[in-house]
Amino acid sequence: MSAKNVLSLLSLSKRFGTTLANDQVTLDLKRGEILALLGENGAGKTTLMNMLFGHYLPDEGSILISNAEDKMVPLTPGHPQAALAAGIGMVHQHFTLAENLTALENITLGSEPLWALGTNKVKVREKIEKIIKRSGLKVDLNVAVGRLSVGEKQRVEILKALYRDAKILVLDEPTAVLTPQEADLLFKNIQAMTLDGLSVIFISHKLREVLEFSHRIVVLRNGKKVGEILTCDADEKIIANMMVGEDAKVLKRTKLKVGQSLLSLSAITLKGNSLRNSLSDISLVVHEHEVLGVAGVSGNGQSVLAELISGLSFPNLGEIKIGSNRIDKPSPMAMISAGIGRIPEDRHRDGIVGSMTVAENAILESLNDPRVQRFGFLRQEAMTDYAEKLCEAYDVRGPGVRFPARLLSGGNIQKLILARVFEKLPSLILANQPTRGLDLGAASDVERRLLDARNRGAGVILISEDLDEILRLSDRIMVMYSGELKEVSSRNREEIGMLMAGKNK
Amino acid sequence: MMDIFNILISESFWAASLRISTPLIFGVLGALLCEKSGVLNLGIEGIFVAGAMSGWLAVWLGAGLLGGVMVAALTGALFGLIHAILTIPLGLSQHVSGLGVTLFATSISYFIYRTALPNVTSPPRIEPFRPIDLPIISDLPFFGPVFGQQTAMTWLALLMVLVVWYVLYRTPLGTAIQAVGDNPNSVDAQGLSVYALRVGAVVAGSSLMALGGAFLTMSAFDAFFFGMVNGRGWICIALVIFASWRPGKALLGALLFGAFDALQVRLQTEVGSFVPGQVFLMAPYLLSIVALIVAARRADYPRALLVPWFKGER
Ligand SMILES: Nc1ncnc2c1ncn2[C@@H]1O[C@H](COP(=O)(O)OP(=O)(O)OP(=O)(O)O)[C@@H](O)[C@H]1O
Ligand SMILES: [Mg+2]
């Protein structure tokens, strides 16, 4: 590997109100190198990359980037346009997609002169299709992005950066919503591209991929760079230690005798507007003291299944029973009052109201709770207290409960939603990708809480693409593929993986 | 019943419908453009007045009809710019700013009119746009009389439908406008300026609105008088929803409304003796409410409509 630097961040600092999100962070990137940026939720990883890309103006420090003649020149701060022109491509942690446009339009957005009288769609499509072939990131280019699954949206995001011929690629948790297979494929392709001189910085909470694909690891904690290590010298233990200063805990699932049935779906058929939104003749039961794992690649009907159980969609055929009561008219209210707590997949859209304060979001689903409400009026003080305790207990870190929830870092938003759900002691928890985007500590914390809920008698439906997570937590496992749901008795990774890909041996 | 049928097949009825629709076509296109970029422009009613007054005044002062159209468009752009600055970089409430622009534009137009012409009792007249005789079309049965009686401004309005449609759905600029109205971050992340796109769309949209006003004084009538806009701007705001933010449907909505209005006038003269005239005056508005109820349920509005965006914040 040539040892030439292509990028240097020189003591960058950024402060938001009282939070010092980045404190004098210095970092170099070499040509062809894959650098992994690690840290707990809220450590400041996204902030650092946002300064690099020009979304945020650094309070202090500067950025140098190599130009065409291989000289290091300063990058105009605060201008994404300048960053793009200098060859930086960024995949953001949260989607930056226009949902009313097609994937193709999203990818080409901003790459052509605005005043052109038309676009040469044929040529553009050819170029994109070439990139798709090279990178293995398959998406339907003609469908409005709003109708794609989260995994597909993520692929569009990465294609956007590749389309701009980036020479430095920044990926903020690119695999949080990808399946293990997709993630591996993505990294293999990225590795291949680094041979042509692409340099990569990626943020991830998944140590497996960090150890497998990166060359060097940089760890942030509380906005400071606290460590740097060559990947060949690192292992999970060392990294976990650098990140949190302690070793990760191991989970244990004890066998329990299951109780009565909490929810049963029998022979449900739901015809959605497309195949990915349909269910064909599925049945499932969840009992007390039981975690039912639903494994599968996202986009195979999981979102409708989740909607169905949250009361947002209605089946065309089949029967839903809660306990022994038949539900004729499913509605979100009916489901919530039946004690179903849900952890939604798209937490920005369905989970929180970004403009409302953290405290308001914390009580959003318990507005009738006398702890926060009296005679129909919210008790501000009590609410704040309650929210503060909640944030403390669930380790939600951020600027404070009186600030809008959108200011929280991605992982902390997730923790806030979890806190809200667990706090109500639901009898059934619908957890749709609950640990996506959480750091190691937080993820194992969530897993522990799900198991705790099960141990106290709740049922859990765990929808996840992370097979390891399913295997760790589930008492029974079902696999979802193309709108169908099959129970598997085996606990063999390979075998379940095959079923997830739709291959029946 | 026979009466209505006779009216519906008469050429003059359709010619009138098209004429009445013209200002609405301009207005609804303008409002659509603003809203597609994520900004509601309730300044429309006042911008109509300002366009009507300034276009007329320019012609009266001798600028010529084409000059009048340009002046009106510029006036609209100016008021659009005020609204844009208040709501886009400053992020003020779009409702409040829009209503403010309407009040301001209306009163300053009246003020200028009064100052320019302090001592007139009957509004002075100008020579308005004349109907254009198109060679082949005028000779067609039915179509000839319907389209043969329209002025250049009606043709311009119809042309603008095509232009707006083409720009929105066939050019990179249009893609960017649609994107900024759905999710400003998408545009920001691709290195385009959210502010510039939105300001541009609002300014351009406001010019179109002003042309709707100018049509009133320079084509439909030949003078400016107070209260002549008479709620047309508000109708356009409703029509955008009816049209579900699509230019083609916007044209349809404007035509429908124009047709109701034309029908209303005719019915009033036919059966006016049994039914109070106000019922007919009310009819187009009632029908547009009904149409809204039917259409708006399916409307897919721009997701970022009314939501301010600031650089460097999340
Ligand atoms: N625009 C902003 N305004 C106010 N506070 C902010 C803003 N952006 C980030 N912060 C705060 O800065 C800190 C760092 O956030 P950042 O998003 O960089 O974390 P992260 O390391 O990416 O975490 P995660 O793994 O959860 O995504 C957090 O405490 C966050 O609340
Ligand atoms: Mg982040």
Side-chain angles (χ1 to χ4, degrees), chain A residues 84-339:
Chain A
L84 282 165
I88 301 173
M90 175 146 172
V91 172
H92 296 79
Q93 183 169 13
H94 301 300
F95 297 134
T96 57
L97 296 168
E99 301 204 337
N100 54 348
L101 300 180
T102 63
L104 184 119
E105 288 167 325
N106 268 288
I107 292 168
T108 56
L109 184 67
S111 66
E112 308 159 291
L114 276 186
W115 297 105
L117 280 180
T119 50
N120 186 347
K121 291 235 158 130
V122 181
K123 233 174 99 190
V124 164
R125 185 179 301 268
E126 260 171 29
K127 180 169 175 194
I128 300 176
E129 256 150 24
K130 224 181 264 163
I131 300 173
I132 291 181
K133 204 171 271 152
R134 203 161 32 119
S135 63
L137 302 161
K138 273 206 201 66
V139 281
D140 186 343
L141 292 175
N142 302 318
V143 177
V145 163
R147 304 184 41 186
L148 299 179
S149 74
V150 201
E152 288 165 311
K153 285 182 187 167
Q154 184 66 356
R155 283 174 238 161
V156 177
E157 286 283 12
I158 300 168
L159 288 173
K160 261 165 59 175
L162 296 180
Y163 182 76
R164 292 287 190 100
D165 303 317
K167 61 179 189 184
I168 297 171
L169 189 58
V170 176
L171 303 156
D172 196 347
E173 301 193 28
T175 58
V177 294
L178 298 183
T179 61
Q181 291 92 327
E182 284 177 315
D184 282 358
L185 184 62
L186 173 69
F187 277 114
K188 293 229 169 77
N189 289 302
I190 286 174
Q191 264 182 338
M193 286 186 276
T194 55
L195 299 180
D196 306 333
L198 183 76
S199 314
V200 179
I201 302 180
F202 78 95
I203 297 175
S204 176
H205 292 297
K206 298 182 184 166
L207 291 191
R208 195 182 58 80
E209 64 194 31
V210 168
L211 287 170
E212 194 168 340
F213 296 107
S214 72
H215 300 135
R216 193 157 53 101
I217 297 169
V218 166
V219 179
L220 294 185
R221 195 192 314 158
N222 290 329
K224 285 199 191 63
K225 179 164 138 186
V226 292
E228 187 171 347
I229 186 171
L230 287 176
T231 309
C232 48
D233 301 333
D235 64 20
E236 293 212 11
K237 246 191 150 145
I238 298 175
I239 301 175
N241 227 312
M242 281 165 79
M243 274 170 63
V244 277
E246 59 189 85
D247 294 342
K249 293 160 241 122
V250 190
L251 275 207
K252 251 182 76 194
R253 183 167 52 90
T254 49
K255 265 219 151 354
L256 284 179
K257 217 171 109 65
V258 299
Q260 321 165 307
S261 134
L262 288 168
L263 171 84
S264 75
L265 308 179
S266 25
I268 297 260
T269 293
L270 193 154
K271 294 197 180 67
N273 48 12
S274 70
L275 203 61
R276 79 173 84 258
N277 286 327
S278 302
L279 300 174
S280 61
D281 193 20
I282 63 156
S283 301
L284 67 78
V285 207
V286 203
H287 303 93
E288 290 171 347
H289 293 300
E290 183 175 62
V291 177
L292 172 68
V294 176
V297 180
S298 85
N300 273 299
Q302 288 94 332
S303 14
V304 236
L305 178 64
E307 277 177 19
L308 182 81
I309 299 172
S310 336
L312 292 165
S313 290
F314 315 102
N316 297 84
L317 284 175
E319 192 183 63
I320 306 176
K321 267 183 171 173
I322 294 183
S324 52
N325 303 331
R326 210 189 127 124
I327 303 285
D328 292 318
K329 277 216 172 72
S331 73
M333 206 55 218
M335 296 311 199
I336 290 177
S337 48

Side-chain angles (χ1 to χ4, degrees), chain A residues 55 81 97 99 106 117 406, chain B residues 166 182-183 188 191 314:
Chain A
H55 284 310
Q81 183 80 68
L97 296 168
E99 301 204 337
N106 268 288
L117 280 180
R406 63 166 191 276
Chain B
Y166 185 86
D182 186 81
N183 179 4
D188 187 44
R314 51 169 156 193

Side-chain angles (χ1 to χ4, degrees), chain B residues 124-208:
Chain B
R125 302 179 176 278
I126 57 164
E127 188 56 35
F129 279 103
R130 293 265 142 238
I132 303 179
D133 234 342
L134 291 168
I136 303 160
I137 293 180
S138 310
D139 299 333
L140 295 175
F142 190 74
F143 287 99
V146 172
F147 288 98
Q149 292 187 12
Q150 305 303 338
T151 67
M153 290 207 76
T154 300
W155 290 107
L156 180 64
L158 294 175
L159 180 69
M160 284 327 268
V161 178
L162 275 180
V163 171
V164 169
W165 174 83
Y166 185 86
V167 169
L168 276 179
Y169 295 103
R170 287 292 179 272
T171 67
L173 179 64
T175 310
I177 291 176
Q178 293 196 63
V180 78
D182 186 81
N183 179 4
N185 290 329
S186 69
V187 169
D188 187 44
Q190 294 280 54
L192 298 174
S193 163
V194 174
Y195 295 152
L197 279 166
R198 286 191 162 169
V199 170
V202 170
V203 167
S206 304
S207 304
L208 281 174

